[in-house]
Amino acid sequence: MNLTLRVWRQAGPDAPGRFETYEARDVSPDSSFLEMLDLVNEDLIAQGEVPIEFMHDCREGICGTCGMMINGQAHGPQALTATCQLHMRTFSDGDEIVLEPWRATGFPIIKDLVVDRSAFDRIIESGGYVTVDTNSAPDANLIPIPKETADLAMDAAACIGCGACVAACPNGAAQLFTSAKVAQLNMLPQGQAERYDRAEHMVEVMEEHFGSCTNMGECEAACPKGISIDFIAMMNKDYRKAKFRGRRSA
Amino acid sequence: MAATAPERSKRSPFIVELYRSALGKKYVMAITGIVGLGYVLAHMIGNLKLYQSAEDFNLYAETLRELLYPIAPEGLVLNLLRGVLILALVGHVVAAAQLTAMNRRARPESYRSKRDYVAADFAARTMRWTGVIVLLFLFYHLADLTWAVTPLHEAGDTVYDRVLNSFNNPASAGFYILANLALGFHLYHGVWSLFQSMGWNNRRFNHWRRTLAVAFTVVVIGGNLSFVIAVLTGVIS
Ligand code: HEM
Ligand code: SF4
Ligand code: FES
């Protein structure tokens, strides 16, 4: 199949950007979206031009590195699919495909389709862990956890930190990511000791970088891992309780 | 815990601390929104007396002034209620303005390509606009019926007369209809959204949130619009 790409090219963080048009010829419908970009880049390199910079690593949908706006949708048109797992058979011969980087103040553009997502790391650093001093690893079944709780925590833990939720949100809010990272620990017994500090700190660091949720649900629809906005409500509740609790004990 | 931990020693009053965060402002939006919901529902139900008779309707308006009288002085309860509503409205609008500014900062550059929304419906994306329309309408509505200083039509001596004069004027009736449609969209998203903001989420009941939002919107907006239509078609005269 043959496709026309309109790609956002930007030489550096402060450089002006613009769309450039490229032709992708003889693309196999079985190739992945990133393989298609690799081929376009090989052509560019052969012509002595600067290849399109994009984010990728595992290419199997588990690392959360890849991601771009494809035709106005984060990770493209297929639900529950990271960019690296998108295949060209999703498109038709002759399609025009528009590629843009994630756009949000919390995700400054580094180059072309590559953005800096270290604001997510700041959120994790502020509470996305449990503080335990371990020597040898503790016995796996030492703390009994009901199956439903474990399953729910696993649903939250499925977040790969790709940032599609922020990219898709009209408010540039990071509620879905942060709530998944809060909930995966706050639902488990091991997370209880720091539960409310975690909610408080992670929310406050999130708000330094990102916007405020208006419950539109775009994040959930864009998320390649199907993280539910139920976790956002859970985080709101834990944050409110954190504020009350501090009052009573301090 | 982390280096970002807020200083525990210098804490402001709870409500100030909560309000400082965007999440706290959302709690304010939701709680003041609930006050507003109670108001628009009660307002619609009270106005159903338009269908009884002019006397009943005017008596109802008069009785509002005398709520709990003679236990409380005349007008006291009504003015207290007004105070709560004004506070709620100011809180709602100020928080909305602050959060909107925050969201503009978080996404200063919009996407150049056409955004394809998947989940965000029209109501959710227009909350700010429908809110502003409702706010502007509120001033017109008070000038029209409470203060009786509308430029569009003759005022009238009783509340009942003023309602009829207002709805018989095409421009005035048009504004009522437009504002109610705007409020309808605002309620459709707001009633659903407040559960998320308040952290009221239970997978057993979540599917009822949309149903409740639709039912609430249909009842309130349906009732309000029926008054205008009843006057325009001469059912109430
Ligand atoms: C007067 C002008 C008003 C403005 C500017 C305004 C604006 C807003 C905005 C921006 C939101 C947040 C949208 C979101 O969470 O997605 C909102 C939410 C809401 N509004 Fe209003 N609004 C106004 C009046 C009203 C009135 C009169 C009512 C009550 C009938 C109301 C009820 C609500 C409710 C229930 C919410 C949901 C709260 C939440 O999700 O946290 N609003 N409003
Ligand atoms: S919540 Fe979903 S969209 Fe957001 S970072 Fe995690 S995996 Fe990506
Ligand atoms: S490259 Fe790892 S998830 Fe796409």
Side-chain angles (χ1 to χ4, degrees), chain A residues 56-67 75 80-85 102 107 117 120-121 124 153-165 176-178 180-181 184 222-227:
Chain A
H56 64 106
D57 189 19
C58 71
R59 298 207 177 195
E60 53 186 25
I62 55 167
C63 75
T65 308
C66 63
H75 288 306
L80 298 174
T81 308
T83 303
C84 62
Q85 294 296 292
W102 295 162
F107 287 165
R117 285 168 292 188
F120 271 11
D121 300 335
I124 296 294
M154 269 312 285
D155 287 347
C159 168
I160 54 178
C162 62
C165 42
L176 195 64
F177 166 80
T178 312
K181 297 301 180 191
Q184 65 179 0
C223 177
K225 297 297 150 186
I227 305 291

Side-chain angles (χ1 to χ4, degrees), chain A residues 169-216:
Chain A
C169 176
N171 305 312
Q175 240 82 2
L176 195 64
F177 166 80
T178 312
S179 68
K181 297 301 180 191
V182 168
Q184 65 179 0
L185 301 173
N186 278 8
M187 281 184 295
L188 293 176
Q190 294 90 333
Q192 295 312 305
E194 291 159 308
R195 176 172 182 171
Y196 296 105
D197 279 346
R198 175 178 301 113
E200 190 172 1
H201 299 163
M202 290 178 76
V203 164
E204 280 161 16
V205 173
M206 168 187 84
E207 290 182 357
E208 287 168 20
H209 299 278
F210 298 100
S212 162
C213 176
T214 58
N215 303 316
M216 299 212 197

Side-chain angles (χ1 to χ4, degrees), chain A residues 73-82 85-87 89-91 221-224:
Chain A
Q73 281 185 267
H75 288 306
Q78 191 169 307
L80 298 174
T81 308
Q85 294 296 292
L86 190 63
H87 285 82
R89 51 181 167 270
T90 323
F91 300 91
C223 177

Side-chain angles (χ1 to χ4, degrees), chain A residues 100 103 105 168 212 218 230, chain B residues 103 105 107 113 115 119-120 203:
Chain A
E100 254 191 290
R103 285 189 198 276
T105 304
S212 162
E218 278 299 313
D230 290 354
Chain B
N103 291 341
R105 283 195 301 277
R107 166 69 53 69
S113 48
R115 267 292 269 128
R203 287 195 171 169

Side-chain angles (χ1 to χ4, degrees), chain A residues 8 19 69 71-73 98 100-105 125-127 129 152 166-172 175 197-198 200-201 203-205 207 210-218 221 228-230 233 236-237 239-240 243-244 246-247, chain B residues 1-2 4-6 8 11-14 17-18 20-24 26-27 99 102-103 105-121 124-125 128 189 192-201 203 206 209:
Chain A
W8 185 259
F19 282 109
M69 295 300 277
N71 287 341
Q73 281 185 267
V98 186
E100 254 191 290
W102 295 162
R103 285 189 198 276
T105 304
E125 283 163 7
S126 72
Y129 49 80
L152 213 55
V166 173
C169 176
N171 305 312
Q175 240 82 2
D197 279 346
R198 175 178 301 113
E200 190 172 1
H201 299 163
V203 164
E204 280 161 16
V205 173
E207 290 182 357
F210 298 100
S212 162
C213 176
T214 58
N215 303 316
M216 299 212 197
E218 278 299 313
S228 163
I229 57 173
D230 290 354
N236 291 350
K237 187 155 96 192
Y239 184 76
R240 183 220 313 152
K243 289 292 182 190
F244 270 117
R247 286 291 112 180
Chain B
M1 212 158 149
T4 47
R8 285 270 158 173
R11 292 195 81 168
S12 322
F14 162 71
E17 279 243 342
L18 187 65
R20 215 171 266 155
S21 69
L23 241 62
K26 284 298 291 197
Y27 272 104
L99 291 175
M102 174 177 177
N103 291 341
R105 283 195 301 277
R107 166 69 53 69
E109 276 190 281
S110 50
Y111 287 104
R112 308 296 198 283
S113 48
K114 203 178 153 301
R115 267 292 269 128
D116 195 355
Y117 289 106
V118 190
D121 54 29
R125 283 186 281 127
R128 285 149 203 168
H189 181 67
W192 179 86
S193 165
L194 71 90
F195 286 89
Q196 284 290 108
S197 302
M198 296 294 296
W200 293 335
N201 185 297
R203 287 195 171 169
N206 280 352
R209 300 185 299 186

Side-chain angles (χ1 to χ4, degrees), chain A residues 94-157:
Chain A
D95 275 1
E96 185 189 70
I97 304 177
V98 186
L99 302 182
E100 254 191 290
W102 295 162
R103 285 189 198 276
T105 304
F107 287 165
I109 297 175
I110 298 174
K111 190 179 179 190
D112 295 344
L113 304 174
V114 180
V115 300
D116 177 358
R117 285 168 292 188
S118 45
F120 271 11
D121 300 335
R122 303 289 91 76
I123 297 175
I124 296 294
E125 283 163 7
S126 72
Y129 49 80
V130 287
T131 310
V132 277
D133 294 324
T134 49
N135 297 308
S136 54
D139 181 0
N141 290 323
L142 211 55
I143 305 171
I145 301 172
K147 173 97 169 82
E148 300 89 81
T149 309
D151 283 351
L152 213 55
M154 269 312 285
D155 287 347

Side-chain angles (χ1 to χ4, degrees), chain B residues 37-54:
Chain B
L37 296 181
Y39 168 72
V40 291
L41 183 64
H43 191 66
M44 191 284 289
I45 293 172
N47 289 342
L48 287 173
K49 293 183 181 53
L50 276 172
Y51 289 117
Q52 286 176 0
S53 69

